[in-house]
Amino acid sequence: MNPTVLTILISSLGLGTTLTFIGSHWLLVWMGLEINTLAIIPLMIRQHHPRAVEATTKYFITQATASALLLFASITNAWTSGEWSLTEMINPTSATLALTALALKIGLAPLHFWLPEVLQGLDLTTGLILSTWQKLAPFAILLQLYPLLNPNLLLSLGILSTIIGGWGGLNQTQLRKILAYSSIANLGWMITILHYAPNLTLLNLILYITMTLTTFLLFKIFNSTKINSIASSSTKSPLLSIITLLTLLSLGGLPPLSGFMPKWLILQELTKQSLFIPATIMALMALLSLFFYLRLCYATTLTMNPNPTNMSSSWRMKPNHPTLILLTSATLSILLLPLTPMIFTLIS
């Protein structure tokens, strides 16, 4: 892609998200979401491959539907209350419609149907943007709207997302589909706790983005899109395969890694709110998610490529991947658990 065009598209992505962050008027927020959607579509379709075209079409139709629903919710609220302000959504029907639209935008169950298929049709770099950056703007709206949203609906969406995210990833062999179901499960944890402790939603979102960034960067370095192709990673680079192992276990929420921190704090908050059954269901579904991460870990570190090649080992060659970004994100993905008291104090 032309560097000038790429710069314009990346700048537009940043502009759309910034508009949504700073906007307090529904039309400005909606405009930011639209700029975000339109900026990523050329990045998705740049491969000129039938799968990429199909994924882009599905993404565009889904996002257009969500945007139309969000605009309808804001107009309905303005019609009944005379208010265009984001935090003045006093009409409960409008609030529910807005939540449905945002759930469709980020891929919450039961509106998750597009996410695994779209992510499967993209390359790893665009998939990374879709899984991380594109979640920021809708969550910026949700974090402002949470007092006005129905807590039972949020809880139902969250629990359903953790169940579908856990079950859906079990039978997959494609890494991008596994990461899509991982995204659905993590979004479920964030939405469940949104009404009771929005600061924990923000903490979970930041950690999820960090861990997903590390995972996508590692898969990009190994050039792997399937479970069987990741088996050669331990011969390519033993150190990176160990980092992959730890990052995947952290995504699964295994102590003593960083990913355990938000799950621990969310379960603690749910039990404080006397929501014992949702907490139990989510803890059990986290075990299902952990199972498919363990499958990936087994393929990464405990299996060997059946066709060894007679060539120089890649760790003796000059690295051409973003080492500093990977080092920073991997460190944050693995080693943050001991800092939990300090982080909890900062976000409270």
Side-chain angles (χ1 to χ4, degrees):
M1 186 176 274
N2 187 312
T4 311
V5 175
L6 188 62
T7 306
I8 291 169
L9 292 174
I10 298 293
S11 304
S12 300
L13 273 174
L15 173 66
T17 307
T18 308
L19 277 176
T20 311
F21 279 2
I22 64 172
S24 59
H25 193 283
W26 265 113
L27 284 181
L28 185 64
V29 167
W30 178 81
M31 199 185 304
L33 290 171
E34 283 300 288
I35 292 170
N36 233 351
T37 303
L38 293 174
I40 200 175
I41 283 172
L43 295 173
M44 295 169 77
I45 210 167
R46 63 181 173 165
Q47 291 180 72
H48 301 295
H49 188 275
R51 288 301 299 268
V53 174
E54 182 190 339
T56 309
T57 308
K58 285 177 179 174
Y59 182 75
F60 176 73
I61 291 170
T62 309
Q63 297 299 308
T65 307
S67 292
L69 195 57
L70 192 66
L71 188 61
F72 178 67
S74 56
I75 290 171
T76 308
N77 183 67
W79 183 36
T80 53
S81 67
E83 281 290 341
W84 280 99
S85 175
L86 194 66
T87 53
E88 296 291 331
M89 188 166 266
I90 53 177
N91 186 352
T93 309
S94 299
T96 305
L97 279 173
L99 175 59
T100 309
L102 293 168
L104 182 57
K105 266 201 171 295
I106 58 179
L108 270 176
L111 306 168
H112 67 287
F113 49 85
W114 61 273
L115 185 57
E117 298 300 324
V118 168
L119 206 56
Q120 177 58 30
L122 305 178
D123 64 331
L124 288 167
T125 309
T126 317
L128 170 63
I129 296 171
L130 183 65
S131 300
T132 55
W133 187 264
Q134 294 297 90
K135 301 281 190 280
L136 292 175
F139 265 101
I141 302 171
L142 284 169
L143 284 165
Q144 292 178 72
L145 283 182
Y146 80 90
L148 313 169
L149 301 175
N150 185 340
N152 293 326
L153 182 58
L154 286 172
L155 202 61
S156 304
L157 287 173
I159 291 170
L160 193 60
S161 295
T162 54
I163 293 170
I164 288 176
W167 277 109
L170 287 180
N171 223 11
Q172 303 297 334
T173 56
Q174 300 283 342
L175 296 179
R176 285 165 293 186
K177 277 194 175 180
I178 289 175
L179 287 172
Y181 282 108
S182 159
S183 172
I184 293 164
N186 276 288
L187 290 171
W189 283 84
M190 296 176 216
I191 289 295
T192 304
I193 203 65
L194 178 64
H195 185 77
Y196 305 102
N199 52 348
L200 290 183
T201 298
L202 187 60
L203 172 66
N204 200 346
L205 179 65
I206 293 166
L207 272 174
Y208 160 73
I209 287 173
T210 309
M211 292 185 289
T212 307
L213 170 66
T214 311
T215 310
F216 269 99
L217 286 176
L218 288 163
F219 289 163
K220 191 169 171 56
I221 290 166
F222 296 140
N223 198 21
S224 298
T225 53
K226 297 189 186 76
I227 286 185
N228 57 8
S229 67
I230 206 173
S232 61
S233 61
S234 56
T235 51
K236 283 182 185 175
S237 174
L239 179 61
L240 284 182
S241 68
I242 292 168
I243 292 173
T244 308
L245 165 75
L246 293 172
T247 307
L248 289 169
L249 290 176
S250 184
L251 256 176
L254 196 73
L257 303 168
S258 301
F260 177 63
M261 184 207 306
K263 288 184 169 55
W264 170 28
L265 294 173
I266 287 170
L267 288 175
Q268 186 181 10
E269 185 62 34
L270 285 173
T271 49
K272 278 183 189 173
Q273 300 290 339
S274 300
L275 297 167
F276 303 113
I277 294 173
T280 307
I281 294 170
M282 291 174 70
L284 291 172
M285 290 306 115
L287 293 177
L288 280 183
S289 298
L290 186 59
F291 176 76
F292 63 74
Y293 291 124
L294 283 171
R295 276 180 68 213
L296 285 181
C297 295
Y298 176 76
T300 310
T301 53
L302 299 174
T303 57
M304 291 189 69
N305 193 17
N307 302 311
T309 52
N310 297 319
M311 58 181 289
S312 302
S313 302
S314 58
W315 64 83
R316 300 190 187 280
M317 298 176 187
K318 187 177 179 183
N320 59 352
H321 39 263
T323 325
L324 183 61
I325 298 172
L326 181 60
L327 177 67
T328 310
S329 63
T331 306
L332 293 174
S333 301
I334 295 165
L335 299 174
L336 277 184
L337 188 65
L339 300 177
T340 302
M342 185 186 79
I343 293 168
F344 189 64
T345 307
L346 286 174
I347 63 170
S348 295

